[in-house]
Amino acid sequence: MVIGGILAGGLGTRMSGGGLPKQFLKVGGKPVIIRTLERFLNHDGIDRVVIAMNESWMDYCRELLQEYELDLARVTIVTGGETRFDSLLCLANACVEISEVAGHMGEITMINHD
């Protein structure tokens, strides 16, 4: 089982996004997080996707997933941590849990694409 992970916990305080974190800003009429998820979900090699984000934006993200009709069964949103590293740990723990529940526990490889 291959699980893609997205770190989307930033609040975009250095950007002037009108109060929206940068992952929710629209590029070409579509939020960045949706564009990213579509790429992950349309990749033949990725079975599931986990997003780590700030808890206060989780409901908004779920609303976007429904609005853009993404495959909700393949996306898990988890609360991120105080730092990027903490969010990475939250994401990794969620991946392990998903793999264990699905009976696909095996080698875990993390690849960072900044």
Side-chain angles (χ1 to χ4, degrees):
M1 168 176 260
V2 176
I3 302 172
I6 300 171
L7 293 171
L11 296 175
T13 55
R14 293 176 292 184
M15 292 190 70
S16 57
L20 281 178
K22 58 188 171 186
Q23 60 270 29
F24 298 118
L25 296 178
K26 290 185 177 181
V27 173
K30 194 179 286 189
V32 171
I33 191 70
I34 297 300
R35 289 185 173 282
T36 303
L37 278 167
E38 287 175 339
R39 294 294 301 256
F40 275 67
L41 293 171
N42 290 327
H43 190 287
D44 292 336
I46 296 176
D47 302 303
R48 297 279 303 268
V49 180
V50 177
I51 308 167
M53 67 173 35
N54 186 291
E55 187 174 17
S56 61
W57 289 96
M58 292 171 76
D59 287 339
Y60 182 73
C61 186
R62 285 185 190 98
E63 290 171 15
L64 287 176
L65 295 177
Q66 290 176 337
E67 179 182 338
Y68 286 90
E69 300 177 352
L70 298 184
D71 187 354
L72 299 175
R74 293 179 56 209
V75 179
T76 301
I77 303 172
V78 298
T79 303
E82 289 293 315
T83 66
R84 183 177 176 88
F85 181 76
D86 292 336
S87 292
L88 182 59
L89 288 177
C90 294
L91 193 146
N93 287 331
C95 290
V96 169
E97 288 178 30
I98 290 168
S99 294
E100 287 175 345
V101 168
H104 292 282
M105 197 59 201
E107 181 178 328
I108 295 175
T109 304
M110 297 189 76
I111 302 169
N112 183 12
H113 291 283
D114 280 336

